[in-house]
Every structure is written in C-alpha cells, then in structure tokens.
Amino acid sequence: MGDTAKTNEQAPKKSFVKGLKAEFRKISWPDKETLFKQSTAVVIISIILGLLITAIDFCIQFGVDKLLQIG
C-alpha cells in the first residue's frame, strides 16, 4: 500500500507562472462602454437595495415599538 514512488509534490514556480500567463491571455476583457453600463447597473441596484432594506428596517422597528407600547 505505501510502496508508491514519490512524485514531484510541488510544481516548479516557472511552470505556474507560464500557466498563469496562458490563462490570463484567455480572458475576454469588456470594452469601456460595456464596463460603464455594467458598473452603473451595479451602483443603481445597490442603492435601490439599500433603500429597500432601510424601509423594511424602519417598518419592523415601528411595528416592534407599537407592540412594546401595547404591553
């Protein structure tokens, strides 16, 4: 069972860097217009979700305050 030959446990750094460069060349970068549109969408959605969470928080806080006043 333990008679297997030891293999190279760690790949040399040069092959890692070469592999990294090869993978980096495969990346398809968006153009400026697409990047701007997607960034704008992310910012707008983040603001909308922030406002929605704030509104829900205020409603829950108002409801809890009313329940505590009753008791």
Side-chain angles (χ1 to χ4, degrees):
M1 286 187 125
D3 295 332
T4 58
K6 280 198 165 192
T7 58
N8 191 3
E9 294 177 8
Q10 188 176 12
K13 290 187 178 182
K14 284 187 177 182
S15 66
F16 173 76
V17 173
K18 285 182 181 179
L20 186 63
K21 285 181 181 179
E23 290 298 320
F24 201 77
R25 283 188 210 109
K26 294 178 185 177
I27 297 174
S28 172
W29 297 103
D31 58 353
K32 287 184 179 182
E33 183 180 342
T34 304
L35 183 64
F36 179 75
K37 286 180 181 180
Q38 290 177 350
S39 298
T40 303
V42 168
V43 169
I44 290 172
I45 290 172
S46 297
I47 291 171
I48 291 171
L49 284 176
L51 292 173
L52 182 64
I53 291 170
T54 302
I56 291 171
D57 182 53
F58 280 133
C59 291
I60 291 173
Q61 184 178 5
F62 179 76
V64 169
D65 288 344
K66 287 297 180 183
L67 285 176
L68 290 175
Q69 286 177 357
I70 294 173

Short mmCIF file of all heavy atoms in Angstrom, two decimals:
data_model
loop_
_atom_site.label_atom_id
_atom_site.label_comp_id
_atom_site.label_asym_id
_atom_site.label_seq_id
_atom_site.Cartn_x
_atom_site.Cartn_y
_atom_site.Cartn_z
N MET A 1 0.81 -1.20 0.00
CA MET A 1 0.00 0.00 0.00
C MET A 1 0.85 1.26 0.00
O MET A 1 0.58 2.17 -0.74
CB MET A 1 -0.92 0.04 1.20
CG MET A 1 -2.08 -0.90 1.12
SD MET A 1 -3.16 -0.59 2.50
CE MET A 1 -4.64 -0.31 1.60
N GLY A 2 1.86 1.32 0.83
CA GLY A 2 2.68 2.50 0.92
C GLY A 2 3.90 2.43 0.03
O GLY A 2 4.85 3.16 0.22
N ASP A 3 3.90 1.55 -0.96
CA ASP A 3 5.05 1.35 -1.81
C ASP A 3 5.02 2.20 -3.08
O ASP A 3 5.74 1.90 -4.02
CB ASP A 3 5.16 -0.13 -2.22
CG ASP A 3 5.43 -1.01 -1.01
OD1 ASP A 3 6.04 -0.51 -0.05
OD2 ASP A 3 5.02 -2.18 -1.05
N THR A 4 4.21 3.23 -3.10
CA THR A 4 4.16 4.07 -4.30
C THR A 4 5.37 4.98 -4.34
O THR A 4 5.89 5.41 -3.31
CB THR A 4 2.88 4.92 -4.33
OG1 THR A 4 2.85 5.72 -3.16
CG2 THR A 4 1.64 4.05 -4.40
N ALA A 5 5.85 5.24 -5.51
CA ALA A 5 7.01 6.11 -5.67
C ALA A 5 6.59 7.56 -5.43
O ALA A 5 5.48 7.97 -5.77
CB ALA A 5 7.58 5.96 -7.07
N LYS A 6 7.50 8.30 -4.85
CA LYS A 6 7.20 9.71 -4.60
C LYS A 6 7.23 10.47 -5.92
O LYS A 6 8.13 10.30 -6.72
CB LYS A 6 8.22 10.32 -3.64
CG LYS A 6 7.96 9.99 -2.21
CD LYS A 6 8.71 10.95 -1.34
CE LYS A 6 8.15 10.84 0.07
NZ LYS A 6 8.62 11.90 0.91
N THR A 7 6.22 11.26 -6.11
CA THR A 7 6.17 12.11 -7.30
C THR A 7 6.53 13.52 -6.89
O THR A 7 6.62 13.84 -5.70
CB THR A 7 4.76 12.10 -7.92
OG1 THR A 7 3.84 12.56 -6.95
CG2 THR A 7 4.38 10.71 -8.40
N ASN A 8 6.74 14.35 -7.85
CA ASN A 8 7.06 15.74 -7.56
C ASN A 8 5.84 16.38 -6.91
O ASN A 8 4.82 16.62 -7.56
CB ASN A 8 7.46 16.46 -8.84
CG ASN A 8 8.04 17.83 -8.57
OD1 ASN A 8 8.19 18.22 -7.41
ND2 ASN A 8 8.37 18.54 -9.62
N GLU A 9 5.92 16.66 -5.62
CA GLU A 9 4.77 17.15 -4.86
C GLU A 9 4.45 18.61 -5.16
O GLU A 9 3.32 19.03 -5.04
CB GLU A 9 5.04 16.99 -3.36
CG GLU A 9 5.12 15.53 -2.95
CD GLU A 9 5.45 15.38 -1.48
OE1 GLU A 9 5.46 16.39 -0.75
OE2 GLU A 9 5.70 14.25 -1.06
N GLN A 10 5.43 19.37 -5.56
CA GLN A 10 5.20 20.79 -5.80
C GLN A 10 5.71 21.15 -7.20
O GLN A 10 6.84 20.86 -7.53
CB GLN A 10 5.93 21.63 -4.75
CG GLN A 10 5.60 23.09 -4.81
CD GLN A 10 6.28 23.85 -3.68
OE1 GLN A 10 7.16 23.33 -3.01
NE2 GLN A 10 5.88 25.08 -3.48
N ALA A 11 4.83 21.75 -7.98
CA ALA A 11 5.22 22.14 -9.33
C ALA A 11 6.21 23.30 -9.27
O ALA A 11 6.10 24.16 -8.40
CB ALA A 11 4.00 22.54 -10.14
N PRO A 12 7.15 23.31 -10.15
CA PRO A 12 8.09 24.44 -10.16
C PRO A 12 7.37 25.76 -10.42
O PRO A 12 6.35 25.81 -11.10
CB PRO A 12 9.03 24.11 -11.32
CG PRO A 12 8.81 22.68 -11.63
CD PRO A 12 7.45 22.33 -11.15
N LYS A 13 7.92 26.82 -9.87
CA LYS A 13 7.27 28.12 -9.99
C LYS A 13 7.22 28.60 -11.43
O LYS A 13 6.29 29.28 -11.83
CB LYS A 13 7.98 29.15 -9.11
CG LYS A 13 7.75 28.92 -7.64
CD LYS A 13 8.30 30.03 -6.80
CE LYS A 13 8.00 29.76 -5.34
NZ LYS A 13 8.48 30.82 -4.50
N LYS A 14 8.20 28.25 -12.25
CA LYS A 14 8.21 28.71 -13.63
C LYS A 14 6.99 28.16 -14.38
O LYS A 14 6.37 28.88 -15.15
CB LYS A 14 9.49 28.28 -14.34
CG LYS A 14 10.68 29.11 -13.97
CD LYS A 14 11.87 28.76 -14.82
CE LYS A 14 13.05 29.66 -14.49
NZ LYS A 14 14.21 29.37 -15.33
N SER A 15 6.65 26.90 -14.17
CA SER A 15 5.50 26.35 -14.88
C SER A 15 4.20 26.98 -14.38
O SER A 15 3.26 27.14 -15.15
CB SER A 15 5.44 24.83 -14.74
OG SER A 15 5.19 24.46 -13.40
N PHE A 16 4.17 27.33 -13.10
CA PHE A 16 2.99 28.02 -12.56
C PHE A 16 2.81 29.37 -13.23
O PHE A 16 1.71 29.74 -13.64
CB PHE A 16 3.11 28.18 -11.04
CG PHE A 16 2.01 29.02 -10.45
CD1 PHE A 16 0.74 28.49 -10.27
CD2 PHE A 16 2.24 30.33 -10.07
CE1 PHE A 16 -0.28 29.26 -9.73
CE2 PHE A 16 1.23 31.10 -9.54
CZ PHE A 16 -0.03 30.56 -9.37
N VAL A 17 3.88 30.11 -13.35
CA VAL A 17 3.82 31.44 -13.96
C VAL A 17 3.45 31.32 -15.43
O VAL A 17 2.64 32.10 -15.94
CB VAL A 17 5.16 32.19 -13.78
CG1 VAL A 17 5.17 33.49 -14.56
CG2 VAL A 17 5.42 32.46 -12.30
N LYS A 18 4.00 30.34 -16.12
CA LYS A 18 3.65 30.14 -17.54
C LYS A 18 2.18 29.80 -17.68
O LYS A 18 1.49 30.30 -18.57
CB LYS A 18 4.51 29.03 -18.15
CG LYS A 18 5.93 29.44 -18.43
CD LYS A 18 6.69 28.31 -19.08
CE LYS A 18 8.13 28.70 -19.34
NZ LYS A 18 8.91 27.59 -19.94
N GLY A 19 1.68 28.93 -16.81
CA GLY A 19 0.26 28.57 -16.84
C GLY A 19 -0.62 29.76 -16.54
O GLY A 19 -1.67 29.95 -17.15
N LEU A 20 -0.18 30.58 -15.59
CA LEU A 20 -0.93 31.77 -15.23
C LEU A 20 -1.00 32.75 -16.41
O LEU A 20 -2.07 33.29 -16.71
CB LEU A 20 -0.28 32.45 -14.02
CG LEU A 20 -1.01 33.63 -13.42
CD1 LEU A 20 -2.36 33.20 -12.86
CD2 LEU A 20 -0.16 34.24 -12.32
N LYS A 21 0.13 32.93 -17.09
CA LYS A 21 0.15 33.82 -18.25
C LYS A 21 -0.75 33.28 -19.36
O LYS A 21 -1.46 34.05 -20.03
CB LYS A 21 1.57 33.98 -18.77
CG LYS A 21 2.43 34.88 -17.91
CD LYS A 21 3.82 35.03 -18.50
CE LYS A 21 4.70 35.90 -17.63
NZ LYS A 21 6.06 36.02 -18.18
N ALA A 22 -0.74 31.96 -19.56
CA ALA A 22 -1.57 31.36 -20.61
C ALA A 22 -3.05 31.56 -20.29
O ALA A 22 -3.85 31.88 -21.18
CB ALA A 22 -1.26 29.88 -20.74
N GLU A 23 -3.43 31.38 -19.04
CA GLU A 23 -4.83 31.59 -18.65
C GLU A 23 -5.20 33.06 -18.74
O GLU A 23 -6.32 33.41 -19.09
CB GLU A 23 -5.07 31.07 -17.23
CG GLU A 23 -5.02 29.57 -17.11
CD GLU A 23 -6.08 28.87 -17.93
OE1 GLU A 23 -7.23 29.37 -17.97
OE2 GLU A 23 -5.77 27.83 -18.52
N PHE A 24 -4.26 33.94 -18.41
CA PHE A 24 -4.53 35.38 -18.45
C PHE A 24 -4.80 35.84 -19.87
O PHE A 24 -5.61 36.75 -20.10
CB PHE A 24 -3.34 36.13 -17.86
CG PHE A 24 -3.66 37.51 -17.40
CD1 PHE A 24 -4.33 37.72 -16.20
CD2 PHE A 24 -3.31 38.62 -18.15
CE1 PHE A 24 -4.63 38.99 -15.77
CE2 PHE A 24 -3.61 39.90 -17.72
CZ PHE A 24 -4.27 40.09 -16.53
N ARG A 25 -4.16 35.22 -20.85
CA ARG A 25 -4.38 35.58 -22.25
C ARG A 25 -5.78 35.18 -22.73
O ARG A 25 -6.30 35.74 -23.68
CB ARG A 25 -3.34 34.91 -23.14
CG ARG A 25 -2.00 35.58 -23.09
CD ARG A 25 -1.04 34.99 -24.12
NE ARG A 25 0.32 35.09 -23.62
CZ ARG A 25 1.05 34.07 -23.21
NH1 ARG A 25 0.59 32.84 -23.29
NH2 ARG A 25 2.27 34.25 -22.75
N LYS A 26 -6.40 34.22 -22.07
CA LYS A 26 -7.72 33.74 -22.47
C LYS A 26 -8.84 34.66 -22.00
O LYS A 26 -9.98 34.52 -22.44
CB LYS A 26 -7.98 32.34 -21.89
CG LYS A 26 -7.07 31.27 -22.44
CD LYS A 26 -7.37 29.94 -21.78
CE LYS A 26 -6.42 28.86 -22.20
NZ LYS A 26 -6.70 27.60 -21.50
N ILE A 27 -8.54 35.58 -21.10
CA ILE A 27 -9.57 36.47 -20.54
C ILE A 27 -10.08 37.41 -21.62
O ILE A 27 -9.32 38.01 -22.37
CB ILE A 27 -9.01 37.28 -19.36
CG1 ILE A 27 -8.60 36.35 -18.24
CG2 ILE A 27 -10.04 38.29 -18.87
CD1 ILE A 27 -7.89 37.06 -17.09
N SER A 28 -11.39 37.54 -21.68
CA SER A 28 -12.02 38.45 -22.63
C SER A 28 -12.44 39.70 -21.85
O SER A 28 -13.40 39.68 -21.08
CB SER A 28 -13.24 37.78 -23.25
OG SER A 28 -13.95 38.70 -24.03
N TRP A 29 -11.70 40.78 -22.02
CA TRP A 29 -11.97 42.00 -21.28
C TRP A 29 -13.08 42.79 -21.97
O TRP A 29 -13.10 42.90 -23.18
CB TRP A 29 -10.71 42.86 -21.19
CG TRP A 29 -9.60 42.18 -20.45
CD1 TRP A 29 -8.52 41.59 -20.99
CD2 TRP A 29 -9.49 42.02 -19.04
NE1 TRP A 29 -7.73 41.06 -20.00
CE2 TRP A 29 -8.30 41.31 -18.80
CE3 TRP A 29 -10.28 42.39 -17.96
CZ2 TRP A 29 -7.88 40.98 -17.52
CZ3 TRP A 29 -9.86 42.06 -16.68
CH2 TRP A 29 -8.68 41.37 -16.47
N PRO A 30 -14.01 43.37 -21.19
CA PRO A 30 -15.08 44.17 -21.80
C PRO A 30 -14.54 45.52 -22.30
O PRO A 30 -13.54 46.03 -21.80
CB PRO A 30 -16.06 44.37 -20.65
CG PRO A 30 -15.24 44.26 -19.42
CD PRO A 30 -14.15 43.28 -19.73
N ASP A 31 -15.26 46.08 -23.28
CA ASP A 31 -14.87 47.41 -23.75
C ASP A 31 -15.36 48.46 -22.75
O ASP A 31 -16.09 48.15 -21.81
CB ASP A 31 -15.40 47.67 -25.16
CG ASP A 31 -16.91 47.56 -25.25
OD1 ASP A 31 -17.55 47.16 -24.26
OD2 ASP A 31 -17.46 47.88 -26.32
N LYS A 32 -14.96 49.71 -22.95
CA LYS A 32 -15.28 50.77 -21.98
C LYS A 32 -16.78 50.99 -21.84
O LYS A 32 -17.29 51.22 -20.75
CB LYS A 32 -14.61 52.08 -22.39
CG LYS A 32 -13.13 52.09 -22.15
CD LYS A 32 -12.54 53.44 -22.48
CE LYS A 32 -11.05 53.45 -22.22
NZ LYS A 32 -10.44 54.76 -22.49
N GLU A 33 -17.51 50.91 -22.95
CA GLU A 33 -18.96 51.15 -22.92
C GLU A 33 -19.66 50.07 -22.09
O GLU A 33 -20.51 50.38 -21.24
CB GLU A 33 -19.52 51.17 -24.34
CG GLU A 33 -21.00 51.48 -24.39
CD GLU A 33 -21.54 51.49 -25.81
OE1 GLU A 33 -20.73 51.61 -26.76
OE2 GLU A 33 -22.76 51.38 -25.96
N THR A 34 -19.31 48.83 -22.31
CA THR A 34 -19.92 47.72 -21.56
C THR A 34 -19.56 47.83 -20.09
O THR A 34 -20.42 47.64 -19.21
CB THR A 34 -19.44 46.37 -22.12
OG1 THR A 34 -19.74 46.31 -23.51
CG2 THR A 34 -20.09 45.21 -21.41
N LEU A 35 -18.32 48.13 -19.79
CA LEU A 35 -17.87 48.27 -18.41
C LEU A 35 -18.63 49.39 -17.71
O LEU A 35 -19.07 49.24 -16.56
CB LEU A 35 -16.37 48.55 -18.38
CG LEU A 35 -15.72 48.64 -17.01
CD1 LEU A 35 -15.81 47.31 -16.28
CD2 LEU A 35 -14.28 49.08 -17.15
N PHE A 36 -18.83 50.52 -18.40
CA PHE A 36 -19.56 51.64 -17.82
C PHE A 36 -21.02 51.26 -17.55
O PHE A 36 -21.55 51.55 -16.47
CB PHE A 36 -19.50 52.85 -18.76
CG PHE A 36 -20.24 54.05 -18.24
CD1 PHE A 36 -19.71 54.82 -17.22
CD2 PHE A 36 -21.47 54.39 -18.76
CE1 PHE A 36 -20.39 55.92 -16.74
CE2 PHE A 36 -22.17 55.49 -18.28
CZ PHE A 36 -21.63 56.26 -17.26
N LYS A 37 -21.66 50.60 -18.51
CA LYS A 37 -23.05 50.21 -18.33
C LYS A 37 -23.22 49.23 -17.17
O LYS A 37 -24.13 49.37 -16.35
CB LYS A 37 -23.59 49.57 -19.62
CG LYS A 37 -23.86 50.56 -20.73
CD LYS A 37 -24.38 49.85 -21.96
CE LYS A 37 -24.65 50.81 -23.10
NZ LYS A 37 -25.15 50.11 -24.30
N GLN A 38 -22.34 48.24 -17.09
CA GLN A 38 -22.46 47.25 -16.02
C GLN A 38 -22.15 47.86 -14.66
O GLN A 38 -22.82 47.55 -13.67
CB GLN A 38 -21.53 46.08 -16.30
CG GLN A 38 -21.98 45.24 -17.47
CD GLN A 38 -21.03 44.11 -17.81
OE1 GLN A 38 -19.93 44.02 -17.28
NE2 GLN A 38 -21.46 43.22 -18.69
N SER A 39 -21.17 48.75 -14.60
CA SER A 39 -20.85 49.42 -13.34
C SER A 39 -22.00 50.31 -12.88
O SER A 39 -22.33 50.35 -11.69
CB SER A 39 -19.57 50.26 -13.49
OG SER A 39 -18.48 49.44 -13.82
N THR A 40 -22.61 51.01 -13.83
CA THR A 40 -23.76 51.86 -13.50
C THR A 40 -24.91 51.02 -12.98
O THR A 40 -25.57 51.38 -11.99
CB THR A 40 -24.20 52.66 -14.74
OG1 THR A 40 -23.09 53.42 -15.22
CG2 THR A 40 -25.34 53.59 -14.41
N ALA A 41 -25.16 49.88 -13.60
CA ALA A 41 -26.23 49.00 -13.16
C ALA A 41 -25.97 48.49 -11.74
O ALA A 41 -26.88 48.45 -10.90
CB ALA A 41 -26.38 47.82 -14.12
N VAL A 42 -24.73 48.14 -11.44
CA VAL A 42 -24.40 47.65 -10.10
C VAL A 42 -24.61 48.74 -9.06
O VAL A 42 -25.17 48.49 -7.99
CB VAL A 42 -22.94 47.13 -10.06
CG1 VAL A 42 -22.47 46.90 -8.63
CG2 VAL A 42 -22.80 45.86 -10.87
N VAL A 43 -24.20 49.97 -9.36
CA VAL A 43 -24.36 51.07 -8.40
C VAL A 43 -25.84 51.36 -8.18
O VAL A 43 -26.29 51.52 -7.04
CB VAL A 43 -23.61 52.33 -8.89
CG1 VAL A 43 -23.98 53.55 -8.07
CG2 VAL A 43 -22.10 52.09 -8.86
N ILE A 44 -26.63 51.42 -9.24
CA ILE A 44 -28.06 51.71 -9.12
C ILE A 44 -28.78 50.63 -8.32
O ILE A 44 -29.57 50.92 -7.42
CB ILE A 44 -28.69 51.92 -10.51
CG1 ILE A 44 -28.18 53.23 -11.12
CG2 ILE A 44 -30.21 51.92 -10.43
CD1 ILE A 44 -28.58 53.44 -12.57
N ILE A 45 -28.50 49.38 -8.64
CA ILE A 45 -29.14 48.27 -7.92
C ILE A 45 -28.73 48.27 -6.45
O ILE A 45 -29.56 48.02 -5.56
CB ILE A 45 -28.83 46.92 -8.60
CG1 ILE A 45 -29.55 46.86 -9.94
CG2 ILE A 45 -29.21 45.75 -7.72
CD1 ILE A 45 -29.18 45.67 -10.80
N SER A 46 -27.47 48.59 -6.17
CA SER A 46 -27.01 48.66 -4.78
C SER A 46 -27.74 49.75 -4.01
O SER A 46 -28.14 49.55 -2.85
CB SER A 46 -25.50 48.91 -4.73
OG SER A 46 -24.80 47.86 -5.32
N ILE A 47 -27.94 50.90 -4.63
CA ILE A 47 -28.66 52.00 -3.98
C ILE A 47 -30.11 51.60 -3.74
O ILE A 47 -30.66 51.82 -2.65
CB ILE A 47 -28.56 53.29 -4.81
CG1 ILE A 47 -27.12 53.82 -4.77
CG2 ILE A 47 -29.54 54.35 -4.32
CD1 ILE A 47 -26.85 54.96 -5.73
N ILE A 48 -30.76 51.00 -4.74
CA ILE A 48 -32.16 50.59 -4.59
C ILE A 48 -32.31 49.56 -3.48
O ILE A 48 -33.21 49.66 -2.63
CB ILE A 48 -32.71 50.06 -5.93
CG1 ILE A 48 -32.84 51.21 -6.94
CG2 ILE A 48 -34.04 49.35 -5.75
CD1 ILE A 48 -33.15 50.76 -8.35
N LEU A 49 -31.42 48.57 -3.45
CA LEU A 49 -31.49 47.56 -2.40
C LEU A 49 -31.22 48.16 -1.02
O LEU A 49 -31.86 47.78 -0.04
CB LEU A 49 -30.51 46.42 -2.68
CG LEU A 49 -30.94 45.44 -3.76
CD1 LEU A 49 -29.84 44.42 -4.02
CD2 LEU A 49 -32.22 44.75 -3.39
N GLY A 50 -30.30 49.11 -0.95
CA GLY A 50 -30.03 49.78 0.32
C GLY A 50 -31.25 50.52 0.82
O GLY A 50 -31.59 50.47 2.00
N LEU A 51 -31.94 51.23 -0.08
CA LEU A 51 -33.16 51.95 0.31
C LEU A 51 -34.27 50.98 0.70
O LEU A 51 -35.01 51.24 1.67
CB LEU A 51 -33.62 52.84 -0.85
CG LEU A 51 -32.71 54.03 -1.18
CD1 LEU A 51 -33.18 54.73 -2.45
CD2 LEU A 51 -32.65 55.00 -0.02
N LEU A 52 -34.38 49.88 -0.01
CA LEU A 52 -35.40 48.88 0.32
C LEU A 52 -35.14 48.26 1.70
O LEU A 52 -36.07 48.13 2.51
CB LEU A 52 -35.42 47.78 -0.75
CG LEU A 52 -36.46 46.68 -0.59
CD1 LEU A 52 -37.87 47.26 -0.70
CD2 LEU A 52 -36.25 45.61 -1.63
N ILE A 53 -33.91 47.92 1.97
CA ILE A 53 -33.57 47.35 3.28
C ILE A 53 -33.81 48.37 4.39
O ILE A 53 -34.32 48.03 5.47
CB ILE A 53 -32.11 46.84 3.29
CG1 ILE A 53 -31.99 45.62 2.39
CG2 ILE A 53 -31.64 46.53 4.71
CD1 ILE A 53 -30.57 45.16 2.13
N THR A 54 -33.50 49.64 4.13
CA THR A 54 -33.74 50.69 5.12
C THR A 54 -35.24 50.84 5.39
O THR A 54 -35.66 50.96 6.55
CB THR A 54 -33.16 52.04 4.61
OG1 THR A 54 -31.77 51.87 4.38
CG2 THR A 54 -33.39 53.15 5.62
N ALA A 55 -36.06 50.81 4.35
CA ALA A 55 -37.51 50.93 4.52
C ALA A 55 -38.07 49.75 5.31
O ALA A 55 -38.90 49.94 6.22
CB ALA A 55 -38.19 51.03 3.15
N ILE A 56 -37.62 48.56 5.00
CA ILE A 56 -38.08 47.38 5.73
C ILE A 56 -37.65 47.48 7.20
O ILE A 56 -38.43 47.15 8.11
CB ILE A 56 -37.54 46.09 5.07
CG1 ILE A 56 -38.20 45.88 3.71
CG2 ILE A 56 -37.76 44.87 5.97
CD1 ILE A 56 -37.58 44.77 2.89
N ASP A 57 -36.44 47.93 7.45
CA ASP A 57 -35.95 48.08 8.81
C ASP A 57 -36.79 49.07 9.60
O ASP A 57 -37.16 48.82 10.75
CB ASP A 57 -34.49 48.52 8.79
CG ASP A 57 -33.90 48.65 10.18
OD1 ASP A 57 -33.99 47.67 10.95
OD2 ASP A 57 -33.34 49.73 10.49
N PHE A 58 -37.13 50.21 8.98
CA PHE A 58 -37.97 51.20 9.67
C PHE A 58 -39.36 50.64 9.96
O PHE A 58 -39.92 50.87 11.03
CB PHE A 58 -38.09 52.49 8.85
CG PHE A 58 -36.90 53.40 8.98
CD1 PHE A 58 -36.32 53.95 7.86
CD2 PHE A 58 -36.36 53.71 10.22
CE1 PHE A 58 -35.22 54.79 7.96
CE2 PHE A 58 -35.27 54.55 10.35
CZ PHE A 58 -34.69 55.09 9.21
N CYS A 59 -39.92 49.89 9.03
CA CYS A 59 -41.25 49.29 9.25
C CYS A 59 -41.21 48.28 10.40
O CYS A 59 -42.10 48.27 11.26
CB CYS A 59 -41.74 48.61 7.98
SG CYS A 59 -42.16 49.75 6.66
N ILE A 60 -40.20 47.46 10.42
CA ILE A 60 -40.09 46.48 11.51
C ILE A 60 -39.86 47.19 12.83
O ILE A 60 -40.47 46.83 13.86
CB ILE A 60 -38.95 45.48 11.21
CG1 ILE A 60 -39.34 44.59 10.03
CG2 ILE A 60 -38.62 44.62 12.43
CD1 ILE A 60 -38.22 43.69 9.53
N GLN A 61 -39.03 48.21 12.84
CA GLN A 61 -38.78 48.96 14.07
C GLN A 61 -40.06 49.64 14.56
O GLN A 61 -40.36 49.62 15.75
CB GLN A 61 -37.69 50.00 13.82
CG GLN A 61 -37.29 50.77 15.06
CD GLN A 61 -36.17 51.76 14.78
OE1 GLN A 61 -35.77 51.93 13.63
NE2 GLN A 61 -35.69 52.43 15.80
N PHE A 62 -40.83 50.22 13.65
CA PHE A 62 -42.09 50.85 14.01
C PHE A 62 -43.05 49.82 14.60
O PHE A 62 -43.70 50.07 15.62
CB PHE A 62 -42.71 51.50 12.77
CG PHE A 62 -44.03 52.18 13.03
CD1 PHE A 62 -44.09 53.39 13.68
CD2 PHE A 62 -45.22 51.57 12.60
CE1 PHE A 62 -45.31 54.01 13.92
CE2 PHE A 62 -46.43 52.18 12.85
CZ PHE A 62 -46.49 53.40 13.50
N GLY A 63 -43.13 48.65 13.97
CA GLY A 63 -44.03 47.60 14.47
C GLY A 63 -43.62 47.10 15.84
O GLY A 63 -44.48 46.91 16.72
N VAL A 64 -42.34 46.93 16.07
CA VAL A 64 -41.87 46.46 17.38
C VAL A 64 -42.14 47.53 18.43
O VAL A 64 -42.56 47.22 19.56
CB VAL A 64 -40.37 46.09 17.32
CG1 VAL A 64 -39.79 45.86 18.71
CG2 VAL A 64 -40.15 44.86 16.45
N ASP A 65 -41.91 48.79 18.10
CA ASP A 65 -42.20 49.87 19.05
C ASP A 65 -43.68 49.90 19.42
O ASP A 65 -44.03 50.09 20.59
CB ASP A 65 -41.77 51.22 18.48
CG ASP A 65 -40.26 51.41 18.45
OD1 ASP A 65 -39.55 50.63 19.14
OD2 ASP A 65 -39.80 52.28 17.70
N LYS A 66 -44.56 49.71 18.45
CA LYS A 66 -46.01 49.69 18.73
C LYS A 66 -46.38 48.50 19.61
O LYS A 66 -47.21 48.63 20.51
CB LYS A 66 -46.82 49.65 17.43
CG LYS A 66 -46.83 50.95 16.67
CD LYS A 66 -47.49 52.04 17.50
CE LYS A 66 -47.49 53.34 16.75
NZ LYS A 66 -48.06 54.41 17.54
N LEU A 67 -45.77 47.35 19.35
CA LEU A 67 -46.05 46.17 20.19
C LEU A 67 -45.58 46.38 21.61
O LEU A 67 -46.24 45.94 22.57
CB LEU A 67 -45.37 44.93 19.58
CG LEU A 67 -46.01 44.34 18.33
CD1 LEU A 67 -45.17 43.19 17.80
CD2 LEU A 67 -47.42 43.85 18.64
N LEU A 68 -44.47 47.05 21.79
CA LEU A 68 -43.96 47.29 23.14
C LEU A 68 -44.80 48.31 23.90
O LEU A 68 -44.92 48.25 25.12
CB LEU A 68 -42.49 47.75 23.09
CG LEU A 68 -41.49 46.68 22.66
CD1 LEU A 68 -40.09 47.28 22.53
CD2 LEU A 68 -41.48 45.51 23.63
N GLN A 69 -45.41 49.25 23.15
CA GLN A 69 -46.29 50.23 23.79
C GLN A 69 -47.58 49.57 24.27
O GLN A 69 -48.15 49.99 25.27
CB GLN A 69 -46.62 51.37 22.84
CG GLN A 69 -45.46 52.33 22.62
CD GLN A 69 -45.81 53.40 21.62
OE1 GLN A 69 -46.90 53.40 21.04
NE2 GLN A 69 -44.88 54.33 21.40
N ILE A 70 -48.06 48.57 23.56
CA ILE A 70 -49.30 47.88 23.93
C ILE A 70 -49.11 47.13 25.25
O ILE A 70 -49.98 47.13 26.10
CB ILE A 70 -49.75 46.91 22.81
CG1 ILE A 70 -50.15 47.70 21.57
CG2 ILE A 70 -50.89 46.03 23.27
CD1 ILE A 70 -50.44 46.84 20.37
N GLY A 71 -47.96 46.48 25.39
CA GLY A 71 -47.72 45.62 26.56
C GLY A 71 -47.32 46.34 27.75
O GLY A 71 -47.52 46.95 28.60
#
